[in-house]
Amino acid sequence: MPSAPGGPRLLLRRLREIMAEPVGAQDRLDKIVVLIAANMVAEVCSVYVMRGDGMLELFATEGLNREAVHQTTMRSGEGLVGLIAATAEPLALSDAQTHPAFSYKPETGEEIYHAFLGVPLLRAGNTLGVLVVQNRTLRVYAEEEIEALQTTAMVLAEMIAAGELQALAPVETGIALRRPVYQKGIALADGVGLGYVVPHEPRVVVKNLIAENVEAELLRLEHAIAEVRTSIDELIERGDVAHHGEHREVLETFRMFAHDQGWLRRMREAVTSGLTAEAAVERVQSDNRARMQRQTDPYLRERLHDLDDLANRLLHRLVGRNLVAERGSLPENAIIVARSMGPAALLDYDRSRLRGLVLEEGGPTSHIAIVARALGIPAVGEVANATSLTEQGDAIIVDGAAGEVQIRPSSDVEAAYAEKARLRARRQEQYLKLRDVPPVTKDGVPISLQLNAGLLVDLPHLAETGAEGVGLFRTELQFMIAERMPTATEQQSLYSAVVAAVGDLPITFRTLDIGGDKILPYMNTIEEENPALGWRAIRIGLDRPGLLRVQIRALLKAAGGHALKIMFPMVATCDEFIRAREIVEREKAHLSRHGYPLPSELKLGAMLEVPSLLFQLKEICAVADFLSIGSNDLMQFLFASDRENRRVADRFDPLSPPMLRALKMVVDEAEESGCQLTVCGEIGGRPLEAMALIGLGYRSFSMSPSSIGPVKAMLLELEAGPVGTFLRDELERAGGGDTLRPKLAQFAETHGIPI
Ligand code: PEP
Ligand code: MG
């Protein structure tokens, strides 16, 4: 393998000299390709730049036919260069011509070259072009050569981003500096938000890349590392996290990483090769991010996340920015873009200025999604590369219903969404008008519509929507957003505030539903192969009765003198319910012995989420005062389909016969036993599904606030009798698998029912 004559350091120094020369853009670019070819011992070096129309155009070459410059073009995805642009990944081949994507451009004369190394010109996640070197021989490019070319590509990308090459592009297209990008993700919280990007962890855009003085840069790097280490020590020793526990261990590991010799060595080497301290940190961070994306092991992913966070801290130090102060103030119409976010983080932002949330991670039932829904903030999750595709201040649109994001939208796209947002607002106004209309079907069947809640901020929705009460209060939210286990007093004070806020309306608290996807950061978790089927919810409550007792006591005290409903999550057997009920009875007796006022009425229920209860319906109805169907979990267990796993989450339809028949069994038995029945899973909040449930005989629902209006609008136009007959007939006639969705939608349409 031929070795580069000057090495990367000399190359960067020469590049800096060329950048400072008073020559035109084309001359500068021509000199650069000659320099790179010589330094890399390659016969060819070419620069392709992405134009505004999405075409890659050859802007300069050493080695290929000069006549092809500004003539040869290709689409993103076309040929090897197009492939690099499309994947944003380097590509090294010892014989390019045997690669299936190879496409031959006769005007360039490249047929005599075999070895090929190309890297994308990346800036802030945008591909601005491709840099290629080629050799006649069948040679293998070494890892260091690929890295050296990537470092050079950073300088070229910066040159393009600074607008230097704009004049060389055709006037009609220009260069695609900040192209519009459409990204599909998944819907987390309904609504349309138009605004401007505010990165949750503002990334530092490194502008100064090439070191003037390597020794001075090394010193800057060492200083920044020392400062970051001290700040982490301070963070860890702060009173609130100094206690033992998993949280502490995570931070200790984080601290250890700040001393990781491999990481530090790689950054020092990058500085020694001629980069500034910040460019070196960013270079190593990019490598780490690429590794993180490929990494499937959750433990290693977390560790790489730690390194990424450390790199961010270093970058902020190096460019002299203060993270905390920047987060404190939020511009108007802010759309927060984050890789991931804890459920509490959203609460820190000024909600009056917040228009949306975009996450690279986070499924529909993640806790940040639940909080976003509670706050009414449109949110989209699983948006690939959201943080690297966007920069502070970029225009962005979040469509929380469709699960779509438009980054730097064109003016017509923006106008279309603005119209959509206006339409939505108008519909919201109509729903507001329905607020005081009793939820009774056209044929006079009253339907109870209640709210799902979990935070105090949810409760004003009661008045706004005209809901009849709170049918599911997810008590775990308080635990999940806290930094440590809420004390008995803290629990009681939240429950008292909730009881006061609902006044005379009914309230159903669900006891702690943790485990599975709901993790408390401060609680020791045990590794489980299948956490959704593991130690969670009422199972933890019964095995650690201390936890459940404290909560029950807090609930009973808070609801003294008021009617109270308590339900238990994930009940799989009647025995579990009976044991939970005994804990409540004991607490009730204890409080009454000590003279506390008890709830005026107390009803205990089981959530029906585990299919085993379907086969103990009579028995559970005999011991429970009410049942509440947690359809989110019931669906996942009935179809063995992980609700958090995108590949399977939407694979099965709740409107298919298996689920509808299960739901019918429950409503029939509940009616026969005189057991109250509610649906509190997401299924009840969707108008078409709610219509089917009313057809099956369901009369009580609890749903997220934004669903009340659409479901009420639907049922006001519905006749419960005919939809019941229709559904029973269809269910009898249906085969095993076919969903009844199209038939139900057709029914709604012919009967003028808005769904
Ligand atoms: C459900 O499973 O349907 C439910 C309401 O509970 P959660 O979504 O909180 O698991
Ligand atoms: Mg559930």
Side-chain angles (χ1 to χ4, degrees):
M1 180 195 77
S3 65
R9 195 160 157 183
L10 183 70
L11 173 65
L12 284 172
R13 175 136 30 99
R14 280 288 301 128
L15 267 175
R16 197 175 64 222
E17 286 164 11
I18 294 177
M19 301 297 264
E21 284 178 20
V23 292
Q26 186 68 55
D27 286 347
R28 199 187 315 282
L29 206 53
D30 291 344
K31 285 183 172 203
I32 289 175
V33 288
V34 172
L35 172 70
I36 298 172
N39 189 274
M40 304 282 298
V41 198
E43 280 104 27
V44 173
C45 174
S46 314
V47 176
Y48 297 82
V49 176
M50 181 80 84
R51 300 191 318 214
D53 59 356
M55 296 297 280
L56 287 152
E57 178 178 315
L58 179 65
F59 261 51
T61 185
E62 162 68 4
L64 298 184
N65 290 339
R66 291 295 206 107
E67 292 73 47
V69 171
H70 297 301
Q71 300 302 321
T72 292
T73 57
M74 61 209 68
R75 288 187 317 278
S76 177
E78 177 190 354
L80 298 176
V81 171
L83 180 67
I84 294 165
T87 57
E89 298 267 357
L91 184 65
L93 302 167
S94 61
D95 190 2
Q97 300 187 14
T98 59
H99 191 283
F102 180 79
S103 89
Y104 166 57
K105 296 272 174 189
E107 71 277 14
T108 62
E110 64 181 331
E111 66 276 17
I112 51 175
Y113 300 104
H114 287 279
F116 174 102
L117 167 61
V119 297
L121 303 177
L122 293 174
R123 190 167 178 279
N126 264 328
T127 303
L128 302 183
V130 176
L131 173 63
V132 173
V133 292
Q134 287 171 278
N135 284 79
R136 275 174 204 264
T137 51
L138 297 169
R139 60 164 295 200
V140 175
Y141 294 99
E143 199 60 40
E144 305 86 74
E145 290 176 296
I146 301 174
E147 286 196 10
L149 201 64
Q150 280 177 294
T151 305
T152 317
M154 278 171 80
V155 178
L156 275 170
E158 208 48 52
M159 189 176 164
I160 299 174
E164 268 209 54
L165 304 187
Q166 202 61 264
L168 305 180
V171 247
E172 324 80 73
T173 65
I175 288 175
L177 283 184
R178 315 284 302 134
R179 279 193 317 283
V181 178
Y182 161 84
Q183 287 291 89
K184 177 87 186 132
I186 51 166
L188 297 186
D190 206 359
V192 176
L194 289 88
Y196 300 94
V197 170
V198 175
H200 177 50
E201 295 163 301
R203 216 183 41 241
V204 174
V205 176
V206 177
K207 296 221 166 77
N208 192 9
L209 299 172
I210 303 167
E212 297 276 343
N213 176 340
V214 170
E215 298 313 317
E217 289 303 314
L218 273 174
L219 257 177
R220 284 183 67 227
L221 179 68
E222 298 304 333
H223 270 132
I225 292 169
E227 280 175 6
V228 166
R229 282 180 183 160
T230 313
S231 71
I232 293 171
D233 288 345
E234 283 166 6
L235 184 81
I236 291 185
E237 299 315 329
R238 252 180 20 202
D240 50 353
V241 289
H243 58 276
H244 290 284
E246 211 204 7
H247 194 185
R248 171 82 193 193
E249 279 161 31
V250 168
L251 287 170
E252 286 293 355
T253 321
F254 187 59
R255 165 149 63 181
M256 238 171 57
F257 268 98
H259 294 262
D260 182 276
Q261 288 309 317
W263 181 59
L264 298 172
R265 195 190 61 243
R266 279 159 57 217
M267 287 190 296
R268 286 181 190 125
E269 278 171 4
V271 173
T272 316
S273 78
L275 291 177
T276 57
E278 49 270 44
V281 175
E282 195 182 46
R283 180 84 193 74
V284 174
Q285 187 185 26
S286 307
D287 284 351
N288 270 337
R289 285 198 175 148
R291 279 165 57 200
M292 198 153 71
Q293 266 159 16
R294 288 194 297 267
Q295 189 52 255
T296 48
D297 181 294
Y299 174 80
L300 291 177
R301 265 182 80 94
E302 278 311 307
R303 300 284 74 93
L304 289 168
H305 267 303
D306 282 0
L307 278 184
D308 198 42
D309 186 331
L310 280 171
N312 264 336
R313 284 163 198 266
L314 269 180
L315 283 174
H316 279 90
R317 294 262 159 194
L318 284 165
V319 301
R321 276 173 55 178
N322 183 339
L323 253 180
V324 179
E326 282 176 21
R327 253 181 222 166
S329 59
L330 204 57
E332 290 286 348
N333 299 328
I335 300 216
I336 306 287
V337 179
R339 224 179 5 258
S340 59
M341 212 189 231
L346 204 51
L347 299 172
D348 293 338
Y349 287 102
D350 175 358
R351 284 197 294 286
S352 67
R353 291 165 174 241
L354 203 55
R355 295 287 168 271
L357 172 67
V358 178
L359 296 172
E360 287 183 10
E361 297 173 6
T365 50
S366 64
H367 304 118
I368 181 67
I370 293 171
V371 174
R373 280 199 289 273
L375 300 178
I377 296 166
V380 178
E382 296 192 17
V383 179
N385 304 320
T387 54
S388 48
L389 281 172
T390 53
E391 271 185 21
Q392 171 107 27
D394 276 349
I396 187 167
I397 298 170
V398 179
D399 185 339
E404 291 168 350
V405 175
Q406 302 278 356
I407 302 166
R408 299 179 290 275
S410 60
S411 52
D412 45 345
V413 168
E414 192 172 326
Y417 274 94
E419 179 57 24
K420 195 167 174 175
R422 266 193 299 276
L423 252 173
R424 212 186 118 79
R426 214 173 304 145
R427 227 178 296 133
Q428 294 299 339
E429 262 171 45
Q430 284 164 0
Y431 296 148
L432 206 60
K433 286 197 195 117
L434 296 183
R435 191 186 62 178
D436 299 320
V437 179
V440 178
T441 64
K442 253 170 125 176
D443 50 351
V445 178
I447 307 287
S448 161
L449 299 182
Q450 301 196 51
L451 273 193
N452 289 350
L455 298 166
L456 267 182
V457 294
D458 296 331
L459 296 174
H461 293 308
L462 268 177
E464 286 159 22
T465 58
E468 223 168 81
V470 174
L472 164 64
F473 192 91
R474 293 179 160 103
T475 59
E476 62 275 9
L477 262 282
Q478 181 191 25
F479 287 69
M480 279 165 19
I481 64 176
E483 290 190 351
R484 50 174 175 73
M485 188 72 85
T487 61
T489 317
E490 284 164 345
Q491 291 179 46
Q492 190 187 329
S493 92
L494 171 71
Y495 305 150
S496 302
V498 174
V499 170
V502 299
D504 291 335
L505 300 177
I507 166 86
T508 307
F509 286 96
R510 172 174 77 185
T511 60
L512 257 190
D513 185 11
I514 49 170
D517 64 312
K518 298 170 185 165
I519 294 159
L520 305 186
Y522 43 83
M523 200 166 140
N524 272 333
T525 44
I526 40 163
E527 281 293 316
E528 293 183 300
E529 282 286 326
N530 289 304
L533 307 179
W535 196 55
R536 52 177 298 196
I538 192 65
R539 301 167 189 188
I540 298 181
L542 294 173
D543 292 357
R544 294 265 185 286
L547 200 63
L548 186 58
R549 255 199 316 266
V550 167
Q551 186 177 33
I552 299 284
R553 190 174 299 183
L555 283 168
L556 293 173
K557 280 184 178 174
H562 290 260
L564 172 68
K565 285 177 156 186
I566 298 176
M567 63 184 176
F568 305 106
M570 300 291 300
V571 173
T573 67
C574 288
D575 179 56
E576 284 176 337
F577 179 82
I578 292 166
R579 286 164 58 204
R581 194 181 61 184
E582 279 165 8
I583 293 178
V584 179
E585 293 303 337
R586 270 201 298 278
E587 284 311 310
K588 223 171 98 182
H590 171 87
L591 289 181
S592 123
R593 260 201 317 279
H594 290 82
Y596 286 95
L598 291 176
S600 54
E601 185 187 45
L602 177 62
K603 297 237 183 273
L604 300 180
M607 286 197 69
L608 200 160
E609 302 180 283
V610 184
S612 62
L613 270 200
L614 293 173
F615 307 97
Q616 317 165 60
L617 282 173
K618 236 182 223 339
E619 295 82 350
I620 194 75
C621 285
V623 287
D625 297 318
F626 66 96
L627 290 182
S628 187
I629 297 190
S631 56
N632 309 340
D633 276 311
L634 186 61
M635 264 302 281
Q636 94 161 335
F637 295 130
L638 205 59
F639 287 93
S641 166
D642 184 351
R643 66 194 256 189
E644 292 286 323
N645 180 340
R646 234 180 126 178
R647 284 214 182 93
V648 296
D650 296 324
R651 202 178 186 99
F652 304 102
D653 192 347
L655 292 181
S656 59
M659 183 72 168
L660 290 174
R661 286 178 184 145
L663 292 169
K664 184 168 181 317
M665 263 166 66
V666 181
V667 71
D668 289 350
E669 180 56 46
E671 207 176 298
E672 204 179 309
S673 321
C675 185
Q676 278 182 24
L677 181 62
T678 300
V679 178
C680 67
E682 307 285 330
I683 184 177
R686 296 193 282 263
L688 186 67
E689 279 83 339
M691 179 187 96
L693 289 168
I694 292 173
L696 289 177
Y698 285 83
R699 298 293 178 254
S700 168
F701 300 90
S702 188
M703 59 192 69
S704 62
S706 61
S707 294
I708 300 260
V711 169
K712 196 192 261 190
M714 177 279 295
L715 72 86
L716 291 175
E717 298 300 324
L718 177 74
E719 287 189 287
V723 74
T725 316
F726 172 78
L727 194 58
R728 260 190 300 277
D729 288 351
E730 288 297 337
L731 261 184
E732 256 169 44
R733 226 178 297 149
D738 282 356
T739 170
L740 298 186
R741 183 173 298 274
K743 288 192 169 146
L744 285 160
Q746 181 68 46
F747 178 93
E749 201 184 321
T750 47
H751 291 78
I753 300 157
I755 48 163

